[in-house]
Amino acid sequence: METAAFLNEPVIYLKKHRKEYVYIVSDWFGIIGVDGIALELDDVFGHYNCMLGLKVQKKYGPAIQTGLSELLEGDGKGEIVFDGNEGIWDVNFPLNDVPGFKEEMPLMEAFVKIYEVLFALQEKLEKMS
């Protein structure tokens, strides 16, 4: 547990503290269908990995993948797997592919950028409904 001031640390903190990860929850995440978001450094690929559970129906799988491909830069694919027991999509994507990402940015700014991507993804899914 950390105080809110911890979110002023730059994202590169995770590279300097490889065994640590950041998990954040917010009441605002309910709007985008998420309980919490975790960030960690992927030791194999060296990118920052964003992980979350997305609460949308199973039928939206292809739309989630397409939306992530459109909203993220680089390879911008991410990985999605439906968890039938939980009824949510496990979503992982590189923070490095989020538009405007920089290692030196504060964690709070990185979470805001992730939120913006997920909000835009929800908008895409709503238009399909």
Side-chain angles (χ1 to χ4, degrees):
M1 292 287 285
E2 294 285 346
T3 65
F6 177 75
L7 294 174
N8 293 322
E9 289 285 338
V11 173
I12 201 164
Y13 173 93
L14 294 169
K15 195 172 272 185
K16 295 176 182 175
H17 301 89
R18 291 183 178 265
K19 295 187 185 221
E20 294 184 30
Y21 66 93
V22 178
Y23 179 76
I24 187 170
V25 294
S26 171
D27 292 339
W28 290 99
F29 289 169
I31 294 169
I32 57 172
V34 171
D35 287 333
I37 300 172
L39 281 180
E40 68 178 9
L41 181 70
D42 183 306
D43 286 335
V44 175
F45 298 106
H47 63 257
Y48 299 95
N49 199 26
C50 178
M51 301 164 289
L52 55 108
L54 187 61
K55 299 176 191 174
V56 296
Q57 295 175 352
K58 186 176 182 179
K59 67 181 180 180
Y60 290 107
I64 295 168
Q65 194 67 66
T66 299
L68 287 174
S69 294
E70 292 172 357
L71 295 166
L72 299 174
E73 299 175 339
D75 289 338
K77 294 181 182 172
E79 297 175 5
I80 63 169
V81 176
F82 189 74
D83 182 338
N85 293 330
E86 298 277 333
I88 61 172
W89 284 96
D90 291 327
V91 178
N92 300 326
F93 58 87
L95 175 60
N96 304 59
D97 291 349
V98 171
F101 169 74
K102 300 205 179 336
E103 265 187 325
E104 301 79 25
M105 70 176 32
L107 287 164
M108 178 57 121
E109 189 176 338
F111 280 113
V112 168
K113 293 200 173 295
I114 293 165
Y115 188 93
E116 290 170 349
V117 166
L118 296 173
F119 189 88
L121 178 62
Q122 284 291 0
E123 285 182 321
K124 288 179 177 289
L125 297 177
E126 282 181 21
K127 287 178 182 175
M128 296 182 69
S129 301

